[in-house]
Each structure stands twice: as C-alpha cells, then as structure tokens.
Amino acid sequence: MSRTLFEKLWDAHQVARAGGNADYIYIDRMFLHERMGSVALRKVLDRGRRVRAPKQVYGTIDHIVDTRPGRGGERTQVPGGEVFIRAMRKGAERTGIHFYDLDDRRQGIVHVVAAEQGIALPGMTLVCPDSHTSTLGALGALCWGIGISEAEHALVTRTLKVARPQTMQVRFEGELGRGIGAKDLALHLIRSLGADGGRGCALEYAGSAVQGLDMSGRFTLCNMAVEFAAFSALIGFDDKTGDYVKNRTPSALDGTFSDWVSDPGAAFDRSAELDVSGLAPMVTWGTNPEQGVAIDEAVPSPLDCPDIEAAGGALHYMGLTPGERIQGKQIDYAFIGSCTNARIEDLRAAAEILRGRRIREGVQGVCVPGSSFTKRQAELEGLDRIFIDAGFEWRESGCSMCFYAGGESAPPGARSISTSNRNFEGRQGPGVRTHLAGPQTVAASAVRGRIADPREFLK
C-alpha cells in the first residue's frame, strides 16, 4: 500500500497506542536552548530523575544571549537573562548532554546548528522546545516543537504521547525568477490559504518550485509552516538532501535514507497546488504573516480581508492606509537573521545586493549569522566585509532581533523590514512595526531606505 513520507516516519517510530487518536512516538534526538531547555533540565534534576540518553540530547545558547561583538560569559540584554544562561550550563554539565557554549565553534540557533552538525538526519524524529523545529523537516525527518513539560518527559523516557495529525500536501509549480526565494513562497502560501490553512497538519511540500530550491530554501519553507498553523513540515529525500548530509554524519549514507519519500499515489487528507511561475517578492503589511502583498501591490482595504476587525487594527498599528503602495514605504531598521533566513546562502543572496553599495543614511542595518559556523564561513568568503562596508552591523550568532524579550529592540514606532518569521505587535520591541520579507528584499530596502524590489538590483 502506498504511504506518505509522514506515515512512514510515524509508523517507524510508533512505540505503542495511547488511546483515541494518540500514539507514543520514539524520539531519536532532542535539542535544547537556554530559554526553555534550561527549565526542562532543572525540572528533571529537581525531581531526582536522569536523562535517559544524554548523548542523543544537544544544547546551546541562542535565544537571549547578546549578539554584539565581544560578548562573553553571561552577557545578555534581557533583564534576568543571565539566570537562564547559568542554568543551561549547569544543567548540561550535570546531565552530560552535548553542549555548545558561546566559545564553541558549533554554537548557534538550534534549528541551524541541528542541520549543520548532522544532528537531524533523514528518517529521524527530533523535538525541541521551540515552535520552529519544523525547519528540520526539510531533511526528510519528523521534527516538531514541544513545551517544557513535554521536553521533560522526552528527556526521561525518549517517548512522547502525540495525537496523530492529518496529512496535507502543498505543491508549488513553476520556475522562480531572480530575486524570488523560499520566503516569498511561504508568504504567498499563507496569504493565499490563510494563517490557519494548515491547522494541525503534517505538511509535505512538493512540486517543481520546491525541487528547484537549495537546502537553505527548503529549511526556510519548512520553518514558516508554523505560521501556516501546521504541526510539522516535510520535504522528501532527494539528491540535494543526500549531498547536504553526506559530510555531516559520521556514518556513510546508506540506501535507507532514500526510502524517506512519499510513495507514488500516496493519499493525503488535504492538498493544495499553487502556480508560482509569476511570483513577485512578498512583503507583509500587517501584524500576522497572512497579511502580505506582492511588492508591486497596494495595501488592501479591511473590507477585502477575511477578518475586517483584525485588518483594521493591523493597519492602525502599522501606520498604513488602504490603497497605499507598500513599495517605497520608508524604513528605519533592516534585520537579516533568525532561524528563517540566516544561513550562508541567505547571506550570499543579501551580499549580492549590497556589494559595492551603502545603506541609506538613517537606516540601522543588522546582520546576525545563524550559527558560529556560518559566521566563520561567511568571513572566509569575505561576506562580512561586504556587509560592514555597506553599513551593516556584523554580529555574533544568536536569535537577536527575531523577537523581543525585554532586551534589544528597535525604537518604539520604528519601521523594520526583517527576514524573521513573525510580525505581531511588539515582536521586535514595543511599538515596532515589522514587515517580513526575504533577504534580498531586506538588503534592497536598506540600500534604498524604503521598501524596495530586489529585482531592480539584479537586472
């Protein structure tokens, strides 16, 4: 019988039935960060329990650490954040898990590091107390975000009770033009089908446009599945997946990796297909990723939106009016970073726009590589000089301005264009107005000082 990739992964990791629609699923690996992982480790230790398989658990510091150059120790801009950093170090030492501290060459954002270091591999299950763990499904692995209590349970038992989700396939067909990437695909999908369009589903991406993406783009696409309300996201194993992982795992690739694809004719509970051959760069205008437009479109009227009240509130917060062009809107801040768009390919794409140019006076540009490994690679390629010469700050690895937790932020009322994944009110600081876009759109906008079409720089 034909099975989807999700069904194969689920069946291979099913330990026992849990009653109703739930099963106990075996967890191959876990990744923890200091903001929530430290709490889970402390709970395990306080209850007198032990981590069942510490060598299959990995931890790092990424969420609340300061990313400015010269950081060290417990430096953070988050009030009280040093408590979490200390707790993570202590918990890792006492439990014996793998730990990438700030002085470790492997430190970085959990979802970037897990792929770079061969921690997540095709056919595996991996969980992390972070909602964007679906990023790693691009490897043909079943990966999803969990809460602190679930993290504690998985640490002690290597299992989790999970309600079996429905399956959904989204096909992107067509060839993407220059300046158009996976972030544009994700924002187009969410705009087209709604932020609730994948509610609770194990989502599988397919189609010619997905096949054409490099692994970085696939990670971006799976990352943003959370903003589509999906349980997780997957892309089947192919030659690109194989090329990516073959130097990242101590064991040679074997034939079983290539089994992690959906069988021909496998049935999904739901499906959707989008033609993206004429897709333009996407930019959000509101306070959720569904509220987006192509860069050459105008801001819509609330009357044309599914939720009139929410759209009206978003326009008020963002300081926009219906019919206003999104292109040309003045910006104050440009952020390139986060688990969505801070891999080496993202930095190369932005650098293509910035090379030989300067960002507009009055714009603060910040680039935060997704990992220390990526940062070193970028510096070997000279990308850091391109960003610095263009007027960007070149930072250490971490989550940084992806979210505001009482630490670093843009000034209230500032307009930011960002490669991150969420744009709700206050996401980058109290009163900050955030537009989501891809790395080339952010770079082009920083140069213009206004939201700009990157294709103008790529002719």
Coordinates of all heavy atoms in Angstrom, one line a residue, residues 39-54 91 94-97 148-158:
V39 N 15.1 25.2 31.8 CA 14.0 24.9 32.7 C 13.7 23.4 32.7 O 13.5 22.8 33.8 CB 12.7 25.7 32.4 CG1 11.6 25.4 33.3 CG2 13.0 27.2 32.4
A40 N 13.6 22.8 31.5 CA 13.3 21.3 31.4 C 14.4 20.5 32.1 O 14.1 19.6 32.9 CB 13.2 20.9 30.0
L41 N 15.7 20.9 31.9 CA 16.8 20.1 32.6 C 16.7 20.3 34.1 O 16.9 19.3 34.9 CB 18.1 20.6 32.1 CG 18.5 20.3 30.7 CD1 19.8 21.0 30.3 CD2 18.7 18.8 30.5
R42 N 16.3 21.5 34.6 CA 16.2 21.7 36.0 C 15.1 20.9 36.6 O 15.3 20.3 37.7 CB 16.0 23.2 36.3 CG 15.8 23.5 37.8 CD 15.7 25.0 38.0 NE 14.5 25.6 37.3 CZ 13.3 25.4 37.7 NH1 13.0 24.8 38.8 NH2 12.3 26.0 37.0
K43 N 14.0 20.8 35.9 CA 12.9 20.0 36.4 C 13.3 18.5 36.5 O 12.9 17.9 37.5 CB 11.7 20.2 35.5 CG 10.9 21.5 35.7 CD 9.8 21.6 34.7 CE 9.0 22.9 35.0 NZ 8.3 22.9 36.3
V44 N 14.0 18.0 35.5 CA 14.4 16.6 35.6 C 15.3 16.4 36.8 O 15.1 15.4 37.6 CB 15.2 16.3 34.3 CG1 15.9 14.9 34.5 CG2 14.2 16.2 33.1
L45 N 16.2 17.3 37.0 CA 17.2 17.2 38.2 C 16.5 17.4 39.5 O 16.7 16.6 40.5 CB 18.3 18.2 38.0 CG 19.3 17.9 36.8 CD1 20.2 19.1 36.6 CD2 20.1 16.7 37.0
D46 N 15.6 18.3 39.6 CA 14.9 18.6 40.8 C 14.0 17.4 41.3 O 13.8 17.2 42.5 CB 14.0 19.9 40.7 CG 14.8 21.1 40.7 OD1 16.1 21.1 41.0 OD2 14.3 22.2 40.4
R47 N 13.5 16.7 40.3 CA 12.6 15.5 40.6 C 13.5 14.2 40.8 O 12.9 13.2 41.0 CB 11.7 15.3 39.5 CG 10.7 16.4 39.2 CD 9.7 16.1 38.1 NE 9.1 17.3 37.5 CZ 8.0 17.8 38.0 NH1 7.4 17.3 39.1 NH2 7.5 18.9 37.4
G48 N 14.8 14.4 40.8 CA 15.6 13.2 41.1 C 15.6 12.2 39.9 O 16.0 11.0 40.1
R49 N 15.4 12.6 38.7 CA 15.4 11.8 37.6 C 16.6 12.0 36.8 O 17.4 12.8 37.1 CB 14.1 12.0 36.7 CG 12.8 11.7 37.4 CD 11.6 12.2 36.6 NE 10.4 11.7 37.2 CZ 9.2 12.4 37.1 NH1 9.2 13.4 36.3 NH2 8.1 11.9 37.6
R50 N 16.8 11.1 35.8 CA 18.0 11.2 34.9 C 17.6 11.3 33.5 O 16.5 10.8 33.1 CB 19.0 10.1 35.2 CG 18.4 8.7 34.7 CD 19.4 7.6 35.0 NE 18.9 6.3 34.5 CZ 19.0 5.9 33.3 NH1 19.7 6.6 32.4 NH2 18.5 4.7 32.9
V51 N 18.4 11.9 32.7 CA 18.2 11.9 31.2 C 18.6 10.5 30.7 O 19.7 10.0 30.9 CB 19.1 13.0 30.6 CG1 19.0 13.0 29.1 CG2 18.8 14.4 31.1
R52 N 17.6 10.0 30.0 CA 17.7 8.6 29.6 C 18.9 8.3 28.6 O 19.6 7.3 28.7 CB 16.4 8.1 29.0 CG 16.4 6.6 28.7 CD 15.0 6.2 28.2 NE 14.9 4.8 27.9 CZ 14.7 3.8 28.8 NH1 14.4 4.2 30.0 NH2 14.6 2.6 28.4
A53 N 19.1 9.2 27.7 CA 20.1 9.0 26.7 C 20.8 10.4 26.4 O 20.6 11.0 25.4 CB 19.5 8.5 25.4
P54 N 21.7 10.8 27.3 CA 22.3 12.1 27.2 C 23.0 12.4 25.9 O 23.1 13.5 25.5 CB 23.2 12.2 28.5 CG 23.4 10.8 28.9 CD 22.1 10.1 28.5
G91 N 22.8 22.7 34.0 CA 22.1 21.5 33.6 C 22.8 20.6 32.6 O 22.7 19.4 32.8
R94 N 25.6 18.7 34.5 CA 25.1 17.7 35.5 C 24.5 16.5 34.8 O 24.5 15.4 35.3 CB 24.1 18.3 36.4 CG 24.8 19.3 37.4 CD 23.8 19.8 38.4 NE 23.2 18.7 39.2 CZ 22.2 18.9 40.1 NH1 21.6 20.1 40.2 NH2 21.7 17.9 40.8
T95 N 23.9 16.7 33.6 CA 23.2 15.6 32.9 C 24.1 15.0 31.8 O 23.8 13.9 31.3 CB 21.9 16.1 32.2 OG1 22.3 17.2 31.3 CG2 20.9 16.6 33.2
G96 N 25.2 15.6 31.4 CA 26.1 15.0 30.4 C 25.7 15.1 29.0 O 26.2 14.4 28.2
I97 N 24.7 16.0 28.7 CA 24.3 16.2 27.3 C 25.4 16.9 26.5 O 26.3 17.6 27.1 CB 23.0 16.9 27.2 CG1 23.2 18.4 27.6 CG2 21.9 16.2 28.0 CD1 21.9 19.3 27.3
I148 N 7.7 22.8 27.7 CA 8.6 22.4 28.7 C 8.3 21.0 29.3 O 9.1 20.2 29.5 CB 8.7 23.5 29.8 CG1 9.4 24.7 29.2 CG2 9.6 23.0 31.0 CD1 9.4 25.9 30.1
S149 N 7.0 20.8 29.6 CA 6.6 19.5 30.2 C 6.9 18.4 29.3 O 7.3 17.3 29.7 CB 5.1 19.6 30.6 OG 4.9 20.5 31.6
E150 N 6.6 18.6 28.0 CA 6.9 17.5 27.0 C 8.4 17.3 26.9 O 8.8 16.1 26.8 CB 6.3 17.9 25.7 CG 4.8 17.9 25.6 CD 4.3 18.4 24.3 OE1 4.7 19.6 23.9 OE2 3.6 17.7 23.6
A151 N 9.2 18.4 27.0 CA 10.6 18.2 26.9 C 11.1 17.4 28.1 O 12.0 16.5 28.0 CB 11.3 19.6 26.9
E152 N 10.6 17.7 29.3 CA 11.0 16.9 30.5 C 10.6 15.4 30.3 O 11.5 14.5 30.6 CB 10.2 17.4 31.7 CG 10.6 16.7 33.0 CD 9.7 17.2 34.2 OE1 8.9 18.1 34.0 OE2 9.9 16.6 35.3
H153 N 9.4 15.1 29.8 CA 9.0 13.7 29.6 C 9.9 13.0 28.5 O 10.3 11.9 28.7 CB 7.6 13.7 29.1 CG 7.0 12.3 29.0 ND1 7.2 11.5 27.9 CD2 6.2 11.7 29.9 CE1 6.5 10.4 28.1 NE2 5.9 10.4 29.3
A154 N 10.2 13.7 27.5 CA 11.1 13.1 26.4 C 12.5 12.9 26.9 O 13.1 11.9 26.5 CB 11.1 14.0 25.2
L155 N 13.0 13.8 27.7 CA 14.3 13.7 28.3 C 14.4 12.4 29.1 O 15.5 11.7 29.1 CB 14.7 14.9 29.1 CG 15.1 16.1 28.4 CD1 15.1 17.3 29.4 CD2 16.5 16.0 27.7
V156 N 13.4 12.1 29.9 CA 13.4 11.0 30.8 C 13.1 9.7 30.1 O 13.6 8.6 30.4 CB 12.5 11.3 32.0 CG1 12.4 10.0 32.9 CG2 13.0 12.5 32.8
T157 N 12.2 9.7 29.1 CA 11.6 8.4 28.6 C 12.0 8.2 27.1 O 11.8 7.1 26.6 CB 10.1 8.4 28.7 OG1 9.5 9.4 27.8 CG2 9.6 8.7 30.1
R158 N 12.4 9.2 26.4 CA 12.7 9.2 24.9 C 11.4 8.9 24.2 O 11.4 8.4 23.0 CB 13.7 8.2 24.6 CG 15.1 8.6 25.0 CD 16.2 7.8 24.3 NE 16.4 8.3 22.9 CZ 17.3 7.8 22.1 NH1 18.1 6.7 22.5 NH2 17.5 8.3 20.9

